[in-house]
Amino acid sequence: MSPLASFAAGIASGTIRVVDLTHTLDPDFPVIILPPEFGQCARFRMEEISAYDHRGPAWKWHNISMSEHTGTHFDAPSHWISGRDVPNGSVDEIDPAAFVGPVCVIDCSDGAAQDDDFELTVDGITAWEQEYGRIPTAAWVLMRTDWSKRRGAAYLNMREDGPHSPGPTPDAIRFLIEQRDIRGFGTETVGTDAGQGSHYTPPYPAHYYLHGAGKYGLQCLNALDELPATGAVLVAAPLKIKNGTGSPLRVLALVEDT
Ligand code: 23J
Ligand code: MN
């Protein structure tokens, strides 16, 4: 059988499952809160145009609005100043081949349960590789923290000194880019950076290094506990927004039952 025929048979028989890694777009879903001197991200909003009524007797539909960075979303290189001159760095320009690829899931859920500011380090990545093998070129690397199970204020976890949530160290991100040439990095938290990521050098190192290197981000992912450490394929295609720096999207994982 050809690879695609075998894939189609796997989907049809259920030996390949489709796992949804997306949160529902909902006005109540938290968005990142930046220090007050900066512009802010809009929550999701939905307005009824008609609902089988005098405004449209046989149809129901809505107008929606949000930020490019609301809910489960994709970050393009043009989102960050380090990536402003990356060729094809906006969501409308990225080669669609980048939207389908292998995924490695690094389970940091124990560490994140102990420490809201848990850091994924180079040692953490190499320990993972001892168990599961080397991260292949052009992989998505996803940091599982089970943060997607949190609701309400616990998600942003704001304290007087700002948000507290886990994330990668600057060295860990540089290792993934320079030594493993990843496709991108994704998290279950509101950013690819830790809540306290503004205090690293450079500030927000995941954004700075990933996008400067033409790599992508995924944030507010859901249900990473449903993925195997290796072997799944991620489908993550952002909306084709002209000059868009990111986009809400449906993130799907194809998982083979073993
Ligand atoms: C703007 C400024 C800082 C950050 C972010 C956006 C995000 O996390 C984002 O959604 O890309 S940290
Ligand atoms: Mn973003």
Side-chain angles (χ1 to χ4, degrees), residues 7 15-17 101-105 128 132-136 139-140 226-234 253-258:
F7 171 74
T15 57
I16 299 172
R17 289 181 302 115
V103 51
C104 297
V105 182
W128 182 92
Y132 301 106
R134 187 182 164 101
I135 295 167
W140 279 107
E226 292 182 32
L227 297 191
T230 64
V233 171
L234 208 68
L254 304 169
V255 179
E256 196 171 350
D257 274 334
T258 47

Side-chain angles (χ1 to χ4, degrees), residues 46-58:
M46 191 163 81
E47 166 207 357
E48 200 171 79
I49 308 172
S50 72
Y52 332 113
D53 56 21
H54 68 281
R55 300 168 298 177

Side-chain angles (χ1 to χ4, degrees), residues 32 34 69 73 75 79-80 190-191 204 207 219:
I32 193 168
L34 296 179
H69 298 262
H73 73 276
D75 276 8
H79 178 41
W80 218 253
V190 78
Y204 306 113
H207 283 79
Q219 291 123 91

Side-chain angles (χ1 to χ4, degrees), residues 30-212:
V31 295
I32 193 168
I33 299 173
L34 296 179
E37 63 269 31
F38 299 128
Q40 303 294 332
C41 182
R43 286 183 181 237
F44 177 74
R45 287 198 308 157
M46 191 163 81
E47 166 207 357
E48 200 171 79
I49 308 172
S50 72
Y52 332 113
D53 56 21
H54 68 281
R55 300 168 298 177
W59 50 92
K60 176 175 172 176
W61 52 345
H62 303 106
N63 286 320
I64 58 174
S65 65
M66 74 211 82
S67 162
E68 295 170 328
H69 298 262
T70 300
T72 302
H73 73 276
F74 183 102
D75 276 8
S78 67
H79 178 41
W80 218 253
I81 190 163
S82 53
R84 65 192 296 172
D85 296 322
V86 165
N88 305 315
S90 299
V91 283
D92 57 320
E93 301 166 332
I94 297 169
D95 179 349
F99 302 149
V100 182
V103 51
C104 297
V105 182
I106 303 182
D107 182 2
C108 302
S109 58
D110 287 343
Q114 306 279 322
D115 178 4
D116 290 349
D117 298 304
F118 177 83
E119 293 176 311
L120 174 62
T121 61
V122 175
D123 281 352
I125 295 166
T126 52
W128 182 92
E129 287 188 329
Q130 288 297 317
E131 196 168 347
Y132 301 106
R134 187 182 164 101
I135 295 167
T137 302
W140 279 107
V141 172
L142 306 184
M143 180 178 175
R144 172 185 164 195
T145 55
D146 290 349
W147 220 254
S148 63
K149 318 266 179 231
R150 292 189 170 217
R151 294 291 175 268
Y155 189 68
L156 295 182
N157 198 28
M158 294 295 279
R159 298 188 208 149
E160 249 162 57
D161 62 350
H164 288 263
S165 54
T169 63
D171 282 349
I173 282 292
R174 290 186 60 181
F175 176 85
L176 291 172
I177 296 165
E178 294 166 15
Q179 307 298 322
R180 296 296 180 265
D181 197 19
I182 61 169
R183 179 185 309 252
F185 181 76
T187 62
E188 290 182 274
T189 54
V190 78
T192 45
D193 274 292
Q196 291 289 292
S198 65
H199 300 302
Y200 287 122
T201 309
Y204 306 113
H207 283 79
Y208 187 86
Y209 290 126
L210 286 169
H211 303 322

